[in-house]
Amino acid sequence: MSEQSAAKINRLNRIAGQVRGVAQMVEDDRYCIEILNQLAAIKSALVKVESQVLKDHAACCVAEAIASGDETEQREKFEELVDLLERTRK
């Protein structure tokens, strides 16, 4: 496993711990604002992981498609990114 993959796994494991913590907060009937603050932190952490995965995709998969000179592969990678962006805007 690469160092970058290990870093993403560590972040995801921390996020999973945060989610378990929020579930416990709900069970303990904690103050709603405290729960919402933790949920906001989880969303922010997920966005950071998402951003890193997207950067990795661009640096690896998209760059390889460009370097290959294969227009079909280039178009596929471009369409994947457009589809992803369209889904995240909804």
Side-chain angles (χ1 to χ4, degrees):
M1 178 180 333
S2 73
E3 190 174 315
Q4 288 179 338
S5 291
K8 284 184 279 223
I9 294 295
N10 287 338
R11 279 188 177 187
L12 289 168
N13 286 334
R14 280 195 302 271
I15 292 166
Q18 287 177 292
V19 171
R20 287 190 297 276
V22 169
Q24 186 63 52
M25 291 174 77
V26 171
E27 286 180 10
D28 294 344
D29 202 26
R30 295 276 297 269
Y31 185 54
C32 295
I33 295 300
E34 291 175 11
I35 294 170
L36 290 168
N37 285 334
Q38 289 303 309
L39 290 171
I42 291 167
K43 284 197 263 185
S44 175
L46 281 171
V47 166
K48 287 178 185 175
V49 174
E50 179 184 38
S51 177
Q52 188 58 55
V53 172
L54 181 58
K55 287 176 186 176
D56 292 348
H57 179 67
C60 181
C61 302
V62 174
E64 287 175 5
I66 292 169
S68 75
D70 182 339
E71 288 185 28
T72 302
E73 186 178 354
Q74 293 168 353
R75 194 171 297 111
E76 286 174 6
K77 296 302 176 193
F78 180 75
E79 288 174 4
E80 286 175 349
L81 290 174
V82 170
D83 289 345
L84 174 69
L85 294 173
E86 286 177 345
R87 284 194 311 272
T88 59
R89 281 197 279 159
K90 293 180 183 180

